[in-house]
Amino acid sequence: QGHRHQVPAGRTAFFADMAVACRLSHPKGGTRLRGSSARHGVSADKRRAGQRAKSVNQSVSTTQMQSLDNQPLLLRALQGGAEVSRPPVWMMRQAGRYMKSYQKLCEKHPSFRERSEIPELAVEISLQPWKAFKPDGVILFSDILTPLEGMGIGFDFIQGKGPIIAEPIRTIQQVEKVTKLEPEEAVPFVGQTLEILSKEIGNEATLLGFCGAPYTLASYIVEGGSSKNYTNIKKLAFNDPGTLHALLAKLADGMVDYLSYQANAGAQVVQIFDSWASHLSPVDFEVFSLPYIKEVVDGVKARHPNLPVILYISGGGGVLERMAQTGVDIISLDATVDIEDARKRISDKTGIQGNIDPCILLAGNKAAITDRVNRTIMQGKGTKHILNLGHGVLPGTSEENVAHFFETAKSFSF
């Protein structure tokens, strides 16, 4: 009765230690002078030195603000310290099947892995929507499974079937063979793509990287691909939780390294996709997903304290409060959750991303698109808000409708 809800020894301690380490190393901590000079008999020279230090600190603060003003809108909105006249906007899956330029490129390069693993192609695809619509964010064109081969887990994408993992992992012996991810060696094309994108967009947009959350990656690995009911991973969770925790721990460590690698290569914001966590009961989410997301966030923040992290769970309304406990900066909402309700539920502990129904863009009623964009922006007023869809843009969506979405969002002003 107890073991299915236990996290292996050491993980909880790790979280506590890491949280302390993050607090100690947080850039906002600074160096504070405590007590009054009079009370402690500080000399006039020391008082003058303190005044000079205060003046320098104020100068540094002003310089930081000026530096912030030179940053792209999305980054300024997330890092704070500067007011923005409108929320930044981008779309999940903004590079993809709805664009004619992407469809033409697919005719020449039908393999998804080819398109995502050859830097020149990945750069071209990532920039297609940016050149067409000028969103405030440009996201790396890749897949959440991309780093798995670097951990000894082979996969492929089959037309019409999606991702396939030929040898699903369901035993502790198989988990023990999963290797440590060395991103520079395993996925150098990811870093190369990000470096090129960073140079291409400069300060005109914010560059986003991403990864899959440990539980979602484990779902693919255990199931052998996509699934409707996720029976194999749930059997493992309830019958042999130690094996699943061992796999999740390795995946969490790998994603810390992977996101840190992306940040080093130029990613300014990263998003974690826990696509299949919504299939977990809240009590099981607390055991098999939340602690490992938190471990990824804490690990990345220890290396990159100022890197904003977004968490997206499709269908995650039932675990919204728990999502806010992961340490992320932004929670990305799907279209089934009202933004005002979400903000109340989490007490604005994090910012919000989202959450327009992508079917509104697919339907193409421009008046409806305009109304929903304006309404969504006003619902997010007063907190850090990134305007986005509640899910990826749908195939078959008109580029004209997408253009209207972006034009409406970018013409808004508080």
Side-chain angles (χ1 to χ4, degrees), residues 207-367:
L207 182 57
L208 293 96
F210 69 93
C211 78
Y215 181 79
T216 287
L217 294 176
S219 296
Y220 281 108
I221 293 166
V222 175
E223 296 290 339
S226 299
S227 174
K228 289 184 178 180
N229 299 314
Y230 299 90
T231 53
N232 288 307
I233 191 167
K234 289 190 175 183
K235 285 180 182 178
L236 190 63
F238 301 141
N239 293 330
D240 188 6
T243 294
L244 180 54
H245 280 303
L247 176 60
L248 291 168
K250 287 194 171 187
L251 290 170
D253 291 342
M255 293 310 102
V256 171
D257 291 333
Y258 188 46
L259 289 183
S260 297
Y261 171 65
Q262 292 184 37
N264 290 335
Q268 297 165 294
V269 177
V270 294
Q271 179 158 316
I272 300 173
F273 290 87
D274 207 353
S275 309
W276 308 130
S278 59
H279 290 263
L280 288 169
S281 300
V283 66
D284 297 317
F285 177 82
E286 291 179 352
V287 177
F288 298 108
S289 181
L290 190 156
Y292 296 99
I293 295 174
K294 189 176 188 305
E295 183 169 345
V296 173
V297 175
D298 288 348
V300 172
K301 291 281 191 179
R303 303 182 195 179
H304 300 276
N306 296 320
L307 182 70
V309 181
I310 304 168
L311 173 61
Y312 175 71
I313 300 178
S314 178
V319 293
L320 186 61
E321 293 84 354
R322 292 166 176 84
M323 291 171 69
Q325 297 171 17
T326 59
V328 297
D329 302 282
I330 301 289
I331 291 176
S332 190
L333 303 173
D334 68 15
T336 66
V337 182
D338 182 83
I339 287 182
E340 292 178 348
D341 290 344
R343 291 180 60 184
K344 290 176 184 176
R345 287 172 59 185
I346 64 173
S347 301
D348 278 343
K349 183 177 180 179
T350 75
I352 294 293
Q353 178 173 270
N355 67 334
I356 292 174
D357 188 338
C359 282
I360 293 178
L361 274 64
L362 179 68
N365 184 319
K366 291 186 178 179

Side-chain angles (χ1 to χ4, degrees), residues 8 13 18 24 53 72 77 99 104 173 194 203 227 237 246 250 260 270 360 363:
M18 187 60 74
L24 291 175
M99 295 194 74
K104 290 180 180 178
Q173 290 78 15
L194 287 168
N203 284 334
S227 174
K250 287 194 171 187
S260 297
V270 294
I360 293 178

